[in-house]
Amino acid sequence: MIIIKIFDTHCDTAYYMHEAGIGFDNSNTHLSKQDVDKYEVYEQMFAVWSHPKRSAEECWKHFFDVKKHYDKEILTYKNERFIPHLTVEGGSLLNNDLSRLDVLKNSGVEIMTLVWRDECCMGGAHNTNKGLTDFGKSAVEKMFELGIIPDISHASDKMAYEVFELADRYGKSVIATHSNLRKIRNHTRNMTDDMFLCLMKTGGLSGINYCCDFLEDTDIKKADITSIIRHLEHYLELGGEHNVCLGCDFDGIDELPLGIDGADSHFKLYEELKKINYSDSLIENIFYNNAHKFFESNI
């Protein structure tokens, strides 16, 4: 066993497993039962993706198909050392029906990534300049009431700021489950410094994404553990010691950074941080405590 506690706020493993028809005890995914068993504690947010090629109604039905597989192949392994959580990636499956949020909450959903790409009933994604729709605003308000945390990863800048305003009005927190910083990698999927500062004002949390395209500006093939640390360093420069965590996006990205093979590689990042004199308490905050405390306070 590796004596490290891990809390990762985003992976697509449950979705991938369902599509491939495989169980959690496999050797094909970035994250598997064999991986989580290596660590002292492993908490993981498992996202169910609303694929843009599916209609809203197809996404709604598909969520329950994936959840059934998740319940059978992942949730059954839950114990004091492995704690899975369920999320939705892409709000198109709501299809302008607020009552569906009640159903999702009762199904165990704790986070909703509001959009993925282009536009849906919630509003515009990072590749648009569209904010929240009227329905999107009502949905975020209801999410706050129900205890489903809105996730601004993939959101347009306009949508993100509108969510921050609603969070301030309701006294609630916002998360960016798998987002990096635009100052380090200039990509619309990443947050500006000001966006992260606004996120922190809500008591929010941001998970570092291992997608190579969101790590490196010049040559994404050179993305490695140092690239991850560069984003982490800037989060810390902005005062994010208690607001940054891991949001690796395992099984949702085609190519991993050099030196990262999947969930079994967390110790490599740990060792690199120790080499550059990160304190044990800071590493523990990034790897586990920040996310664990955030969800204790907000779910």
Side-chain angles (χ1 to χ4, degrees):
M1 181 191 298
I2 304 171
I3 309 301
I4 306 173
K5 293 181 179 180
I6 302 294
F7 198 131
D8 179 3
T9 53
H10 186 88
C11 78
D12 287 274
T13 306
Y15 182 96
Y16 181 95
M17 282 169 45
H18 173 265
E19 301 303 285
I22 58 177
F24 198 40
D25 187 6
N26 76 84
S27 57
N28 299 315
T29 52
H30 294 157
L31 174 70
S32 68
K33 183 179 183 299
Q34 295 92 312
D35 296 322
V36 302
D37 284 348
K38 295 176 182 177
Y39 295 92
E40 181 181 3
V41 175
Y42 208 112
E43 287 199 54
Q44 178 68 58
M45 312 301 293
F46 289 91
V48 180
W49 182 32
S50 298
H51 197 299
K53 292 185 178 179
R54 291 190 173 98
S55 69
E57 289 305 302
E58 288 170 337
C59 288
W60 179 248
K61 179 181 181 299
H62 191 254
F63 166 81
F64 294 99
D65 292 339
V66 177
K67 182 184 181 300
K68 184 177 180 180
H69 197 73
Y70 163 87
D71 289 347
K72 177 184 176 183
E73 300 293 346
I74 294 176
L75 195 58
T76 53
Y77 290 113
K78 182 177 180 179
N79 57 45
E80 67 277 3
R81 289 183 49 229
F82 172 58
I83 303 117
H85 304 263
L86 189 62
T87 79
V88 168
E89 185 174 23
S92 64
L93 83 175
L94 296 180
N95 200 17
N96 292 294
D97 184 350
L98 287 177
S99 70
R100 290 188 172 184
L101 285 169
D102 295 285
V103 178
L104 293 176
K105 178 64 177 180
N106 291 334
S107 298
V109 170
E110 299 178 4
I111 293 173
M112 176 178 285
T113 310
L114 302 178
V115 287
W116 190 74
R117 190 178 63 200
D118 301 326
E119 298 177 48
C120 72
C121 62
M122 297 294 290
H126 67 96
N127 61 328
T128 78
N129 60 2
K130 305 291 185 181
L132 289 166
T133 62
D134 289 341
F135 172 78
K137 291 176 183 176
S138 297
V140 170
E141 291 171 342
K142 182 156 187 175
M143 289 164 66
F144 286 143
E145 293 169 5
L146 291 173
I148 298 174
I149 304 169
D151 174 19
I152 60 160
S153 293
H154 290 275
S156 70
D157 291 3
K158 184 176 182 182
M159 176 185 281
Y161 281 111
E162 290 172 348
V163 174
F164 297 147
E165 289 175 6
L166 290 171
D168 181 62
R169 187 184 309 167
Y170 281 81
K172 298 291 185 177
S173 298
V174 177
I175 192 169
T177 57
H178 55 305
S179 291
N180 296 336
L181 289 169
R182 209 172 294 178
K183 180 75 175 286
I184 306 301
R185 164 55 169 132
N186 187 20
H187 194 293
T188 55
R189 263 289 280 114
N190 292 339
M191 288 188 292
T192 64
D193 288 4
D194 186 65
M195 288 167 70
F196 180 58
L197 293 173
C198 289
L199 183 86
M200 284 200 296
K201 287 179 182 177
T202 75
L205 184 72
S206 184
I208 291 183
N209 190 332
Y210 286 9
C211 178
C212 296
D213 198 31
F214 307 148
L215 286 170
E216 282 291 338
D217 247 334
T218 52
D219 186 355
I220 64 172
K221 293 187 182 299
K222 292 183 179 178
D224 57 12
I225 292 175
T226 300
S227 308
I228 296 168
I229 294 174
R230 287 173 63 225
H231 285 270
L232 176 56
E233 289 276 295
H234 195 53
Y235 272 120
L236 297 176
E237 288 169 2
L238 294 171
E241 176 180 347
H242 299 291
N243 305 86
V244 65
C245 65
L246 304 178
C248 305
D249 207 359
F250 287 140
D251 295 305
I253 49 182
D254 294 328
E255 188 174 353
L256 292 168
L258 296 172
I260 300 292
D261 300 315
D264 64 341
S265 298
H266 288 305
F267 75 94
K268 294 182 180 179
L269 176 59
Y270 176 89
E271 289 175 345
E272 288 301 315
L273 295 178
K274 291 289 286 184
K275 285 179 185 178
I276 55 177
N277 294 320
Y278 275 53
S279 68
D280 289 340
S281 61
L282 179 54
I283 296 173
E284 288 166 5
N285 284 343
I286 296 162
F287 275 54
Y288 185 77
N289 291 339
N290 290 345
H292 183 72
K293 290 176 181 177
F294 177 84
F295 285 99
E296 277 192 331
S297 300
N298 290 283
I299 296 297

